[in-house]
Amino acid sequence: MHDQKQANSAAGPYGGRQRSRLCALAAAAALAALAGGCASGGAITPAASTHTTAPTGTSASPTPPMRPGMKMPGTTQAATPSASALMVCGPEISNDVTKILTPPHAPPTTTTWTDHLYTCTYHLPGGQLVLSVKESPNTASANAYFESVRKELGTTTQLTAAQGLGNPGYESAGGTVVILKDGKTLRVDATGMPTASGPHKLSRAELAYEVASDILGCWSE
């Protein structure tokens, strides 16, 4: 009985056929990221910054613009999302989402940045695809957040090293993939999408995994 339980846990909520498809998606996404030439972190342009204007007759140095990931004085974390976090809403990933789902127009997005959690929501004809990156100041807090999300999702299945491109991760049958890399917790939530999306009729879990793999491929360049 114990051996049977372990086997079921390893298989997770997906059958072997779907697991094989996820492995194929991982390989395809990695190759696509390398071939597509994802922009490096430094290529992301931050929003325009406001500069301080000195009163007439005086002089003052303008406030330097906040670059992605810049830290405020006296803090240990960045006041703005890092370049890699911004990438989930950048042109490369937006193009990937469009290619995967083939909507009639490029999907509009909305973003938030709260408590070092950057969230990008893609508003698609069939629903919403939500990508988020939690930026943690150290390994301990990153691991704690990673595990808190696992607990929040309930039943999850561990990703293999190959599926996570060498990073720890897990997925839920409902359509959420979570991967931890370099202190950043990537979460791709496709639970708001149809049960079959795009021309290839991807399940929510498959869609979440394919997008997560694309992002990891860009981060690994």
Side-chain angles (χ1 to χ4, degrees), residues 4 36 66 83 102 116 179 205:
Q4 183 64 41
M66 293 297 291
T102 63
H116 303 285
I179 297 174

Side-chain angles (χ1 to χ4, degrees), residues 171-196:
E171 57 191 350
S172 74
T176 299
V177 170
V178 182
I179 297 174
L180 176 61
K181 178 177 174 61
D182 300 332
K184 295 177 175 60
T185 302
L186 169 66
R187 177 172 180 169
V188 179
D189 185 345
T191 58
M193 294 294 293
T195 54

